[in-house]
Amino acid sequence: MALQWFPGHMNKAKNQVQERLKLVDVVIEIVDARLPYSSRNPMLDSIINNKKRVVILNKADLADEKMSKKWQEYFQKQDISTYIVDSKHANNMNSLINNIKKEVQAKIDKYKKAGVKNYRIKAMCIGIPNVGKSTILNRFAGKNIAVTGNKPGVTKNQNWIKTNYDIDIIDTPGILWPKIDDQAVGLKLALTGAIKDSIFHADDVALFALDYFKKHYSEKLKKAYQVSDSGLELDNPDLLLFLTKKMGFKDDFDRMSEKLMQDIRKGVLGKYTLDQIEEVDDAVN
Ligand SMILES: Nc1nc2c(ncn2[C@@H]2O[C@H](COP(=O)(O)OP(=O)(O)OP(=O)(O)O)[C@@H](O)[C@H]2O)c(=O)[nH]1
Ligand SMILES: [Mg+2]
């Protein structure tokens, strides 16, 4: 299964990214705010070396606000400038783009001193599929140049996007990196729509989601489907069957699994974050 998540065209995209990276001044790493760890590319550090980098926790409107702040602090402690962004609803990205420009100020100053006028910064937007790279770039450009869509794999090629801020940014196809031998990471990516629905079973994702929400967001689960405290004590497969019946889907737990997944993606259960800092620290230690 892990291999299916890193198909040939992704390998090609990765090589293209590596090649193009040489040309850029700063990397804008877009991460899903609901998955600040699992949607990051573990290979990026070695690929970008000392290149300047900022992290954007995008889709902040869907994520648990307290958790987004905690994750922001976590990255800032590692000296990575990190911004919490809702690019779907934001209408002004001026301060964000000015902050990104500040990352390369020293370089611009150097060019100015050397007599280069109007140096245009070159940046690259990078991240796994469906995290909102193209949406952010359209915001930066002030118009819809890049194609966006609510499914992974919308952007197929690298495209330069010009902005009105002396900065040009490459949009790249989403790339999944082969760290997904961790089953939980795969399920989280599936739940947020970063990997194609055709390569996993909805019931696996639903059981994972029930488990996670029971542990971390039990009130949201109870409220969304009117589940009582005793209902929450059912084990995960029984709870899934209970919800299936409750929704009038008879024994069709696949249908309930699909509904649960879509509801969670749309935010019907409310805001949530699927990565806990403690888990990551445990994994590192
Ligand atoms: N709720 C919410 N949705 C967002 C946000 N940013 C982007 N989206 C939505 O997420 C979906 C994916 O956005 P894209 O910009 O196409 O994502 P991408 O990273 O370019 O995806 P690929 O090109 O497939 O790698 C679209 O339906 C966007 O409307 C956000 O901040 N909040
Ligand atoms: Mg795109």
Side-chain angles (χ1 to χ4, degrees):
M1 199 154 182
L3 280 180
Q4 281 176 316
W5 282 332
F6 198 64
H9 72 271
M10 293 248 178
N11 217 354
K12 189 173 149 222
K14 181 185 138 246
N15 292 339
Q16 282 174 349
V17 161
Q18 259 169 312
E19 197 50 41
R20 200 58 79 87
L21 259 175
K22 293 175 192 151
L23 302 176
V24 309
D25 305 307
V26 56
V27 172
I28 306 171
E29 186 186 356
I30 316 278
V31 169
D32 188 321
R34 296 166 298 171
L35 296 175
Y37 171 74
S38 302
S39 68
R40 288 194 81 203
N41 159 25
M43 286 158 71
L44 197 57
D45 286 348
S46 64
I47 293 172
I48 70 174
N49 287 324
N50 296 325
K51 205 154 289 249
K52 293 281 181 192
R53 170 233 308 252
V54 298
V55 166
I56 291 181
L57 300 178
N58 190 41
K59 304 202 182 186
D61 54 313
L62 299 174
D64 181 332
E65 282 158 16
K66 271 193 211 147
M67 294 290 287
S68 295
K69 292 223 170 72
K70 275 195 193 175
W71 278 106
Q72 184 182 36
E73 281 166 22
Y74 178 88
F75 291 129
Q76 307 267 38
K77 269 192 203 146
Q78 298 169 24
D79 273 338
I80 303 174
S81 304
T82 305
Y83 303 94
I84 298 172
V85 174
D86 162 9
S87 65
K88 187 165 186 171
H89 306 99
N91 45 29
N92 187 333
M93 301 289 240
N94 287 357
S95 74
L96 176 60
I97 206 147
N98 283 327
N99 281 324
I100 293 173
K101 280 174 71 177
K102 273 188 207 145
E103 298 283 329
V104 276
Q105 195 58 48
K107 193 167 182 179
I108 299 170
D109 291 346
K110 206 170 83 187
Y111 280 126
K112 264 192 192 153
K113 251 192 188 163
V116 179
K117 282 185 203 146
N118 307 324
Y119 178 73
R120 288 186 75 79
I121 299 164
K122 288 178 282 307
M124 175 182 266
C125 230
I126 199 164
I128 67 165
N130 205 27
V131 286
K133 298 176 292 300
S134 302
T135 304
I136 289 186
L137 287 192
N138 284 337
R139 294 288 181 197
F140 286 166
K143 51 189 166 191
N144 291 338
I145 306 174
V147 182
T148 65
N150 195 13
K151 58 177 186 188
V154 171
T155 304
K156 307 281 186 216
N157 298 301
Q158 298 186 359
N159 305 305
W160 280 106
I161 308 281
K162 287 196 179 301
T163 74
N164 297 326
Y165 301 86
D166 307 328
I167 178 165
D168 297 330
I169 311 176
I170 295 185
D171 189 13
T172 61
I175 303 173
L176 278 172
W177 310 84
K179 78 167 169 182
I180 319 178
D181 42 4
D182 179 342
Q183 188 73 7
V185 170
L187 291 166
K188 290 175 186 185
L189 293 171
L191 186 54
T192 53
I195 50 182
K196 286 199 173 78
D197 287 353
S198 55
I199 58 171
F200 55 81
H201 296 292
D203 55 333
D204 287 339
V205 180
L207 290 173
F208 167 80
L210 286 176
D211 192 58
Y212 192 88
F213 273 74
K214 263 163 59 175
K215 275 190 196 130
H216 299 286
Y217 299 110
S218 58
E219 289 306 316
K220 292 182 197 275
L221 193 58
K222 277 162 66 180
K223 198 168 160 219
Y225 302 114
Q226 285 99 48
V227 183
S228 64
D229 284 330
S230 60
L232 276 198
E233 280 165 20
L234 292 170
D235 65 17
N236 300 326
D238 284 342
L239 179 54
L240 182 60
L241 275 177
F242 170 79
L243 292 175
T244 305
K245 292 208 165 66
K246 197 173 165 76
M247 291 297 138
F249 299 158
K250 297 195 172 123
D251 291 330
D252 191 352
F253 62 86
D254 275 338
R255 190 168 164 204
M256 183 62 219
S257 300
E258 189 61 36
K259 175 177 168 52
L260 183 66
M261 216 166 64
Q262 296 302 341
D263 283 354
I264 290 174
R265 282 184 189 166
K266 279 187 283 195
V268 171
L269 278 73
K271 298 175 187 228
Y272 59 93
T273 298
L274 297 174
D275 285 333
Q276 303 286 323
I277 289 174
E278 300 73 32
E279 281 172 1
V280 173
D281 278 347
D282 280 355
V284 170
N285 293 331

